Amino acid sequence: MTIEFRELRTAAELAPMPVLEARVWGDVDLVAVNLLVATISEGGMAIGAFDDDRLVGSVYGFATHEPHVLHSHYLAVDPDYRRTGLGVALKQHQRDWCLANGRTAMRWTFDPLQLGNAHLNLRSLGAVGVQYHANLYGPMGGINGGLPSDRLVVEWQLVGDRFTGVESIDVEVPPVTAGEIANAAPPALHARVAMREAMLPLFDDGWLVIDVDRVGRTYTLSR
């Protein structure tokens, strides 16, 4: 497999991105091409991964109120190309873009029940969980099943040392599958509420998420 990475800016170049979004997350809440063009023209970015002329992965981010920070809105990898390292490669290309354009940090959100994403963000990339939001985007369909959209905000410092803290605790993640989340099954709602009740008081007390064990189903927090 030979993958080519290209920066995307024009409407024609960006047109395949909502199509890939729908393939990855379902045909809901897609980012329109006109919005992609507008945010990119104001300091955002998009990079596509192509296998020949087929878009098989992309990262998209936009400017924030902090000039040194890019909000990375999404990372999408075609289901046929998962577990190939493409996700990490796309984030590294996004990192290179940030450093070339005066950005020294990235922030983004993910569902803390999705431990595969947590592993990528916390272990593979070295980001740190800095905030927990209850129902951040409102109920979301597709793979989210209409559950409350609780999200963990992670920050990836692209220069300097990573935060480690001086004490740590572990928080268990209730057993739940992606299928149960997509179908809003009772175990998924239970897991959502349990994570919220465990995480919010800890963040209020100054703890940050620094690691995940997706096999043991635990998050490690430090302060």
Side-chain angles (χ1 to χ4, degrees), residues 16 26 42 86-87 91-92 100 110 114 117 149 156 163 166 174-175 213:
E42 292 293 339
L86 183 56
K91 294 301 290 186
Q92 293 294 349
F110 75 96
Q114 301 282 4
N117 290 344
S149 57
W156 188 17
F163 169 81
V166 295
D213 179 349

Side-chain angles (χ1 to χ4, degrees), residues 163-195:
F163 169 81
T164 56
V166 295
E167 56 180 324
S168 64
I169 58 172
D170 289 339
V171 172
E172 294 185 2
V173 182
V176 62
T177 67
E180 288 171 331
I181 294 171
N183 290 299
L189 183 58
H190 166 76
R192 176 69 80 222
V193 172
M195 286 300 301

